[in-house]
């Protein structure tokens, strides 16, 4: 509704409503006044006639009574008159056709105004007449009040007609004012709409009432202001556009410069990555060559001081290789190119493996190394076992490096298992080392930073191990922390969310059947762990304070030897072992090659600390007095040796011969795959470079067979492996890498780690004797060296030498063919095969030349290899000449002549 219409309604309705209320009240008051006047007039007239009527009644003058009655009827409003007595006698009744007589005489004048016909009752007093009371009488008059009502209605109609005429006049006036107001407001609204739409020239006529003229002036002023503002804004927009255009040109120039800078940065990063890869290769290639030459040099005769220098060179090379590998790992993590694996994780085996790798350092420093995997840790889990092992090895190595005495303990426990298919593991590594201050802890996980500047000089290292560990743990969804106090040791801990594959309930491990086992262990944490483990396996454990047994003797004695084993201590223990009436399982804090020579009259064996759970169970099984069956591993382990060189296979088989180990041979990858399709194996020694399917292809084919082959350990055996090659082999599914010639200690470590088999009896001669038997320079044939490489078997050494000499013509033809076609790959394969064949033979000259040539081919290709090729052919000719000379000797003197021929040298 418009403002004009609302104004019209107010102007019309409000006055009319007020006048209606006033007129109504006035008419009502007038009507009441008229009725009151009528009542008073009639009442007065009746009361004035009442005494006369009473006298007339007493005198019984009917004529006078009728006259008085007619006088009352002369009143305009009177319609009937009646006189009545209390006895019910009607004395007079005029004009009352349907008289309503009161039932009793009224005591005073009464007027009944109900309805249009009123009734007035007036009592008549009749005095005594001659001493007699005449009785009571009253006068009733009927009064017609309709004239008053009709007059009231006439007045109402007249007032209504007047109000209607007044309303019409007000409507005309208000409507005119409303239309004028709406017209002016609509004009102002339309002008504002045009102004808002951009028509700033619109103006209003300044006419009409003052208020409307004021509104028009304000609207016109607004239009002028808007027009002025638009002109100013247009000028500002033009100026801003010019400024923005200049800014856009500047930004475009900057963007071009930033794009060029970004491209230069990407190019610099690419060049840096290529430089890093090239430098790492260039650094590791000569380092591996140095390591190889150091090994060859170590096979020659050296003075003790020279051998010490050689050991220092080997140690420096290993440290430098570790530094280069850490830098490359850190670069891959920073570049986001590290991919996590999703495989099964057995925390018990993983901890045992990590501790086994770090055990030599603990043995060297005389530290106790212990792994505790709590019973509530489920197995198997799903995660990245390679990265978890890398973090664990870093933390354990770091703890051992900064601990001079005491212990290093690894604990694995469940921190949270709120989800059914996931568990949060907490792995902690505690040591009793030098400790850290709060500031040192804050800077500890930064790259290339150690706790203090002197640590790198005193303890070595690059400061990358903890930084890599932190990033690996965070990428696996965990968090690594450290708690430490100076001189009170440190505790490094990391949490990992891992997926639970099986059930959380551990399977029962009933290995023992209630046998009584005496336990002596000076180291308290190790003692508590062994007690708990043996008790869980079903044994009745009795801890003894010293190495002695009570009567009756137990089924087995588990004893830990002291860390410091002097001759007096060993003699004391041997005396006790001679009197011990039961088998003894001795735990020694030493490597397998450093185990003391103790005789166990009643049976038993020596185990190296830290003893793994599987090795301890196997040791219990091998003790003859125990009848409990160990279910950790089968009684017979099956091993497959894959190598295209028959001599290498025979030598490895001879080195592997021992009780509880079944060995199968395969001459190619295809043959190994055919054997694997029908028989399972527990370990595979795989040669890498073979004709047809090489070692990597064969390993992948074995993995595709599924079943037990998906997890069977495959160990790479190769004559030459740079660090890049080693990493590629590990990424291709092989667990470890053995370098030819295979070191017996490294081979024993692998067998103990994966199969827990009994160490083989060594046929080696003492090192001093070996050095005395070596000549001053590299010989064509060194029978003593060949015997040592053949695991102490001289006949096998002679047989391997003969097989090598017989194969030399075929090797020479392959070399000539590769050189004539300039096929670098074929040349490398032939040299590699020759190098591998020489690794197990007592032909040091040919082995050195083949090793040198292979290193040169891998690092620089066929550049500048002609002198080495000539040296290789000359070395082959000298070995063939030795073989031809040896064939003319009689069979009875072959061994002696071979020994003398070892001194032949062709200068």
């Amino acid at each position: 509704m418009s403002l004009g219409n609302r104004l019209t309604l107010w102007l019309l309705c409000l006055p009319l409503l007020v006048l209606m209320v006033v007129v109504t009240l006035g008419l009502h008051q007038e009507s009441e006044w008229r009725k009151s006047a009528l009542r008073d007039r009639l009442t007065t007239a009746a009361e004035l006639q009442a005494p006369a009527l009473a006298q007339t009644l007493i005198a019984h003058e009917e004529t006078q009574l009728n006259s008085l009655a007619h006088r009352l009827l002369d009143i305009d409003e009177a319609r009937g008159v009646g006189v009545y007595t209390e006895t019910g006698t009607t004395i007079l009744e005029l004009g009352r056709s349907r008289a309503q007589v009161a039932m009793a005489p009224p005591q005073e004048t009464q007027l009944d105004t109900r309805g249009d016909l009123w009734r007035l009752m007036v009592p008549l007093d009749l005095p005594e007449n001659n001493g007699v009371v005449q009785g009571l009488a009253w006068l009733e008059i009927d009064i017609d009040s309709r004239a008053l009502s009709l007059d009231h209605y006439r007045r109402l109609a007249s007032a209504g007609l007047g109000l209607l005429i007044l309303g019409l006049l007000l409507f005309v006036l208000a409507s005119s004012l409303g239309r004028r107001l709406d017209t002016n407001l609509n004009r102002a609204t339309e002008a504002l709409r045009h102004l808002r739409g951009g028509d700033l020239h619109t103006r209003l006529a300044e006419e009409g009432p003052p208020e409307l003229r004021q509104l028009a002036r304000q609207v016109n002023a607004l239009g002028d202001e808007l027009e002025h503002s638009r002109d100013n804004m247009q000028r500002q927009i033009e100026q801003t556009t010019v400024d923005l255009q200049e800014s856009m040109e500047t930004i475009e120039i900057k963007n071009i410069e930033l794009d060029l800078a970004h491209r230069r940065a990407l190019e610099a990063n690419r060049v840096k990555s290529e430089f890093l890869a090239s430098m790492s290769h260039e650094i590791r290639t000569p380092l591996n060559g140095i390591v190889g030459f150091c090994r060859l040099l170590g096979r020659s005769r050296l003075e003790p001081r020279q051998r010490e220098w050689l050991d220092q060179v080997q140690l420096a090379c290993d440290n430098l290789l570790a530094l280069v590998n850490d830098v490359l790992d850190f670069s891959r993590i920073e570049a986001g190119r590290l991919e996590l694996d999703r495989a099964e994780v057995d925390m018990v085996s993983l901890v045992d493996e990590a501790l086994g790798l770090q055990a030599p350092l603990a043995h060297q420093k005389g530290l106790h190394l212990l792994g505790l995997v709590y019973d509530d840790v489920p197995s198997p889990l799903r995660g990245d076992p390679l990265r978890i092992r890398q973090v664990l090895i870093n933390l354990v190595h770091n703890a051992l490096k900064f601990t001079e005495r005491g212990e290093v303990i690894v604990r694995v426990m469940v921190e949270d298992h709120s989800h059914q298919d996931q568990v949060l593991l907490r792995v902690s590594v505690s040591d009793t080392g030098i400790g850290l201050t709060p500031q040192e802890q804050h800077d500890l996980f930064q790259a290339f930073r150690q706790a203090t500047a002197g640590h790198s000089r005193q303890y070595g290292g690059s400061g990358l191990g903890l930084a890599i560990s932190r990033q690996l743990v965070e990428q696996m969804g965990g968090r690594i922390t450290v708690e430490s106090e100076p001189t009170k040791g440190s505790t490094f801990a990391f949490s990992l969310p891992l997926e639970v594959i099986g059930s959380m309930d551990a399977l029962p491990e009933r290995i023992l059947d209630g046998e009584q086992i005496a336990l002596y262990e000076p180291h308290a944490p190790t003692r508590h762990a062994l007690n708990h483990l043996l008790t869980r396996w079903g044994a009745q454990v009795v801890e003894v304070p010293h190495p002695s047994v009570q009567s009756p003797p137990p089924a087995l004695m588990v004893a830990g030897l002291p860390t410091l084993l002097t001759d007096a201590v060993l003699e004391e223990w041997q005396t006790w072992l001679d009197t011990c009436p039961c088998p003894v399982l001795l735990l020694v804090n030493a490597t397998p090659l450093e185990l003391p020579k103790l005789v166990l009259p009643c049976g038993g064996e020596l185990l190296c600390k830290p003893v793994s759970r599987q090795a301890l169970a196997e040791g219990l099984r091998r003790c003859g007095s125990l009848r409990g069956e160990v279910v950790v591993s089968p009684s017979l382990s099956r091993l497959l040796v894959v190598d295209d060189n028959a001599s290498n296979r025979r030598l490895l088989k001879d080195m592997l011969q021992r009780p509880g180990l079944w060995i199968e041979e395969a001459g190619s990858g295809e043959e190994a795959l055919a054997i694997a399709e029908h028989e399972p194996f527990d370990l595979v020694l795989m040669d890498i470079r073979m004709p047809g399917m090489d070692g990597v292809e064969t390993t992948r084919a074995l993995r595709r067979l599924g079943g037990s082959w998906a997890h069977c350990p495959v160990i790479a055996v190769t004559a030459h492996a740079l660090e890049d090659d080693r990493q590629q082999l590990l990424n291709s599914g092989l667990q470890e890498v053995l370098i030819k010639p295979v070191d017996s200690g490294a081979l024993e470590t692998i067998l103990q780690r994966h199969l827990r088999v009994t160490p083989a009896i060594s046929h080696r001669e003492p090192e001093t004797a070996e050095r005395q038997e070596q000549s001053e320079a590299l010989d064509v044939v060194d029978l003593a060296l060949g015997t040592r490489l053949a695991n102490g078997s001289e006949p096998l050494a002679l047989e391997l030498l003969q097989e090598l000499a017989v194969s030399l013509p075929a090797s020479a033809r392959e070399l000539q063919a590769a050189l004539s076609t300039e096929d670098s790959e074929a040349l490398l394969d032939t040299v590699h095969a020759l190098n591998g064949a020489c690794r197990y033979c007592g032909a040091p000259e040919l082995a050195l030349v083949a090793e040198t040539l292979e290193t040169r081919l891998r690092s620089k290709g066929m550049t500048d290899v002609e002198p080495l090729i000539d040296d290789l052919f000359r070395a082959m000719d000298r070995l063939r000449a030795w073989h031809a000379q040896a064939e003319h000797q009689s069979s009875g003197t072959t061994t002696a002549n071979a020994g003398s021929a070892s001194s032949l040298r062709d200068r």
Side-chain angles (χ1 to χ4, degrees):
M1 184 180 292
S2 65
L3 180 60
N5 293 335
R6 290 197 298 271
L7 180 61
T8 301
L9 288 178
W10 279 106
L11 292 177
L12 178 63
C13 295
L14 184 60
L16 289 177
L17 182 61
V18 172
L19 290 175
M20 186 181 296
V21 171
V22 172
V23 169
T24 302
L25 291 177
L27 292 176
H28 177 72
Q29 291 293 332
E30 184 181 5
S31 176
E32 292 296 325
W33 177 80
R34 288 178 177 276
K35 288 181 180 180
S36 177
L38 179 61
R39 284 194 301 269
D40 293 343
R41 183 165 56 84
L42 290 176
T43 301
T44 301
E47 289 178 347
L48 291 176
Q49 294 295 328
L53 288 175
Q55 292 295 331
T56 303
L57 289 176
I58 294 174
H60 298 285
E61 295 179 359
E62 294 182 0
T63 304
Q64 185 65 23
L65 181 64
N66 290 330
S67 176
L68 292 174
H70 281 91
R71 188 179 297 178
L72 291 174
L73 286 175
D74 289 339
I75 299 174
D76 294 337
E77 290 83 4
R79 294 291 181 269
V81 176
V83 179
Y84 307 95
T85 64
E86 63 178 347
T87 59
T89 302
T90 303
I91 298 176
L92 177 66
E93 192 173 56
L94 297 176
R96 302 189 74 185
S97 58
R98 292 181 295 175
Q100 294 183 1
V101 183
M103 299 301 297
Q107 298 298 324
E108 58 184 8
T109 302
Q110 295 180 359
L111 179 62
D112 184 6
T113 59
R114 291 176 297 179
D116 293 333
L117 189 63
W118 296 355
R119 188 173 58 164
L120 177 64
M121 293 179 292
V122 181
L124 301 175
D125 294 331
L126 299 178
E128 296 180 359
N129 186 11
N130 298 323
V132 179
V133 178
Q134 295 298 320
L136 297 175
W138 70 89
L139 172 64
E140 291 189 8
I141 301 175
D142 293 334
I143 301 171
D144 188 4
S145 64
R146 285 177 292 184
L148 293 176
S149 299
L150 290 175
D151 185 63
H152 179 70
Y153 291 146
R154 283 195 301 270
R155 292 177 181 277
L156 283 177
S158 299
L161 182 60
L163 290 175
L164 179 60
I165 294 173
L166 180 61
L168 290 176
L169 294 176
L170 290 175
F171 175 76
V172 172
L173 178 61
S175 177
S176 176
L177 293 176
R179 284 196 301 272
R180 289 181 62 186
L181 180 60
D182 285 344
T183 300
N184 287 279
L185 291 178
N186 290 334
R187 289 175 181 174
T189 302
E190 187 68 18
L192 291 175
R193 187 179 65 82
H194 283 288
L195 291 176
R196 188 185 64 179
D199 186 6
L200 302 182
H201 300 289
T202 302
R203 296 294 184 270
L204 292 177
E206 299 180 2
E207 57 185 11
E211 293 80 5
L212 295 179
R213 288 199 302 272
Q214 181 67 21
L215 177 61
R217 282 195 296 270
Q218 295 298 326
V219 171
N220 295 335
L222 177 61
D224 295 338
E225 185 67 24
L226 290 177
E227 188 173 3
H228 181 68
S229 299
R230 186 186 65 177
D231 295 338
N232 291 337
M233 184 180 298
Q234 186 66 31
R235 288 193 296 270
Q236 292 178 1
I237 290 175
E238 292 175 356
Q239 182 63 34
T240 305
T241 304
V242 173
D243 296 340
L244 182 60
Q245 187 175 2
E246 295 177 356
S247 300
M248 291 297 295
E249 293 176 356
T250 304
I251 292 175
E252 186 176 358
I253 295 173
K254 293 296 183 182
N255 286 337
I256 295 175
E257 294 177 354
L258 287 175
D259 183 65
L260 294 176
H262 178 65
R263 293 183 180 182
R264 288 194 296 268
L266 291 178
E267 180 65 19
N269 188 45
R270 185 187 64 80
V271 172
K272 182 193 70 174
S273 300
E274 293 180 356
F275 174 76
L276 181 62
S278 176
M279 287 305 299
S280 63
H281 178 76
E282 293 298 330
I283 292 174
R284 285 181 295 175
T285 298
L287 278 177
N288 281 281
I290 293 172
V291 171
F293 287 125
C294 288
R295 290 177 180 173
L296 291 175
L297 187 59
R299 291 155 58 181
S300 63
R301 181 175 180 179
L302 297 174
E303 297 179 358
R305 189 175 182 183
Q306 293 173 333
R307 184 166 296 277
E308 181 180 356
W309 293 344
L310 186 62
D311 293 339
Q312 293 297 326
V313 172
Q314 181 71 41
L315 179 61
C317 293
D318 293 339
N319 291 335
L320 187 54
L321 281 175
L323 174 60
V324 172
N325 292 333
D326 286 344
V327 171
L328 291 179
D329 283 342
F330 184 78
S331 301
R332 281 194 294 266
I333 295 174
E334 287 293 324
R337 292 181 295 175
L338 182 67
E339 296 182 359
L340 298 178
D341 192 12
R342 299 287 295 171
E344 292 187 2
V345 178
D346 184 1
M347 292 305 300
V348 175
S349 301
L350 193 146
V351 171
D352 289 341
E353 181 179 356
L355 296 186
L357 292 174
Q358 298 299 319
L361 181 57
H363 298 155
Q364 179 182 355
K365 305 181 73 171
L367 302 176
H368 293 281
L369 186 58
L370 178 63
L372 301 175
V373 180
Y374 286 34
D375 295 340
D376 59 347
V377 176
S379 180
L381 300 170
R382 189 180 301 280
D384 192 335
L386 179 63
R387 300 305 175 185
I388 298 176
R389 180 177 63 177
Q390 183 178 355
V391 174
L392 189 57
I393 289 176
N394 276 337
L395 295 182
V396 173
H397 180 76
N398 193 68
L400 292 173
K401 183 170 63 174
F402 292 100
T403 303
E404 297 300 331
R405 63 178 63 87
E407 63 192 19
V408 174
I409 301 178
V410 179
R411 294 179 175 87
V412 182
M413 64 191 73
V414 175
E415 185 172 351
D416 182 28
H417 189 226
S418 56
H419 298 83
Q420 183 177 2
D421 56 348
Q422 193 177 44
V423 64
L424 183 64
L425 287 188
R426 174 182 171 85
V427 182
S428 63
V429 179
S430 304
D431 63 68
T432 57
I434 60 176
L436 298 167
T437 64
Q439 181 60 35
E440 292 171 349
Q441 297 176 32
H442 180 268
D443 300 335
L444 194 61
F445 292 101
Q446 299 181 15
F448 301 102
R449 293 286 297 274
Q450 293 195 0
T452 63
H455 283 177
S456 59
R457 295 188 299 268
Q458 182 177 358
Y459 298 100
S462 61
L464 282 176
L466 292 178
I468 293 174
S469 299
R470 177 182 62 83
Q471 296 189 13
L472 288 177
V473 170
E474 291 177 353
Q475 286 199 11
M476 289 186 287
R479 180 173 176 266
I480 188 170
T481 59
V482 59
E483 297 178 1
S484 179
E485 293 184 17
T487 71
K488 294 184 179 180
S490 306
T491 298
F492 287 84
F494 61 94
S495 58
L496 283 180
L498 299 176
E499 181 182 351
V500 180
I501 299 178
S503 173
M504 283 291 295
D505 299 330
L507 297 177
E509 296 180 278
R510 194 71 180 179
I511 294 177
L512 306 173
D513 192 15
E515 288 87 350
Q516 187 178 27
I517 295 180
L519 176 61
Y520 168 74
E521 172 56 56
H523 187 234
T526 305
R527 181 173 66 252
H528 297 328
L530 290 174
N531 192 340
H532 173 77
L533 191 58
L534 293 174
T535 303
R536 185 182 180 188
W537 284 349
Q540 297 181 5
V541 181
V542 179
E543 295 186 6
V544 294
H546 49 80
S548 62
V549 295
Q550 305 295 331
S551 181
L556 177 67
M557 175 73 179
V558 178
L561 291 180
T563 303
L564 184 60
L565 296 177
T566 61
D567 293 340
V569 173
L570 292 177
E571 184 178 356
E572 181 180 354
W573 274 86
Q574 185 61 63
T575 304
W576 176 78
L577 290 173
D578 294 338
T579 60
C580 183
C582 65
V584 180
L585 197 63
L586 289 178
L587 308 180
V588 187
N589 199 20
T591 61
L593 298 179
E594 297 173 347
L595 291 176
K597 296 181 179 180
L598 293 175
V599 180
L600 305 175
C602 295
E605 64 177 281
L606 279 72
L607 295 179
C608 299
K609 289 184 180 180
V611 58
S612 65
R613 185 173 301 188
Q614 188 172 5
L616 180 61
E618 287 290 338
L620 294 175
R621 181 186 62 80
R622 288 191 291 266
C623 292
S625 60
L626 296 181
R627 299 177 182 177
E629 182 179 1
V630 179
V631 297
V632 177
S633 65
S635 59
L636 185 64
S637 299
R638 299 176 58 85
L639 190 146
L640 178 62
V641 178
V642 184
D643 199 312
D644 61 323
N645 191 296
S647 301
N648 295 348
R649 296 198 304 271
R650 291 182 58 187
L651 180 57
L652 284 175
K653 187 174 183 180
D654 183 74
M655 297 175 68
L656 293 169
Q657 289 293 347
R658 66 200 65 210
L661 187 63
W662 175 266
I663 303 172
E664 187 78 17
E665 298 182 30
S668 63
E670 292 81 1
E671 183 180 354
L673 189 59
I675 296 174
E677 290 177 350
H678 302 89
E679 300 180 20
F681 287 88
D682 301 299
L683 184 68
V684 179
L685 298 181
M686 178 71 66
D687 186 26
I688 298 303
R689 300 189 73 91
M690 296 184 295
M693 292 180 62
D694 61 11
V696 175
E697 294 176 355
T698 305
T699 302
R700 292 173 179 171
L702 292 176
R703 298 297 187 206
R704 287 193 294 268
L705 294 178
S708 61
W709 284 107
H711 309 286
C712 179
V714 180
I715 310 301
V717 183
T718 180
H720 198 288
L722 300 175
E723 189 61 30
D724 281 343
D725 301 330
R726 181 190 298 269
Q727 191 62 41
Q728 290 177 4
L729 293 176
L730 296 178
N731 294 336
S732 300
L734 292 101
Q735 273 66 35
E736 297 185 47
V737 179
L738 277 176
I739 304 299
K740 298 178 182 179
V742 176
D743 181 71
S744 60
L747 183 61
E748 291 294 337
T749 301
I750 288 177
L751 294 179
Q752 287 292 323
R753 183 180 304 149
H754 296 284
L755 300 180
R756 311 298 181 186
V757 297
T758 305
I761 301 176
S762 177
H763 300 286
R764 287 176 149 190
E765 298 294 333
E767 186 178 355
T768 56
E770 293 175 4
R771 294 180 182 178
Q772 291 175 359
E773 293 176 2
Q774 293 175 352
S775 58
E776 292 293 336
L778 292 179
D779 301 327
V780 176
V781 174
D782 190 337
L783 187 57
L785 175 62
T787 303
R788 179 163 58 89
L789 294 175
N791 205 31
S793 176
E794 185 175 341
L796 179 60
L798 288 172
E799 186 174 354
L800 293 175
L801 278 171
Q802 184 176 3
E803 291 179 359
L804 175 61
V806 171
S807 66
L808 288 180
S811 299
R813 289 192 295 271
E814 294 176 359
L815 288 172
Q816 292 290 354
L819 289 172
S820 60
T821 58
E822 295 185 356
D823 189 348
S824 59
E825 191 67 24
L827 180 62
L828 179 59
D829 289 339
T830 305
V831 174
H832 176 80
L834 185 60
N835 185 18
C838 296
R839 289 298 181 98
Y840 298 106
C841 301
E845 183 185 23
L846 183 58
L848 177 59
V849 176
E851 170 72 16
T852 305
L853 180 57
E854 183 175 359
T855 301
R856 179 69 61 83
L857 288 173
R858 290 181 180 273
S859 60
K860 297 185 178 181
M862 298 186 65
T863 305
D864 298 332
V865 296
E866 295 183 359
L868 292 176
I869 293 292
D870 296 337
D871 293 340
L872 181 65
F873 279 116
R874 285 194 290 269
M876 294 171 62
D877 293 339
R878 283 192 284 271
L879 183 58
R880 292 171 60 185
W882 171 88
H883 179 252
Q885 180 181 358
E887 284 184 341
H888 292 84
Q889 305 295 330
S890 61
S891 60
T893 59
T894 302
T895 302
N897 290 336
S900 61
S902 65
S903 61
L904 293 176
R905 291 184 297 273
D906 187 3
R907 298 296 181 185

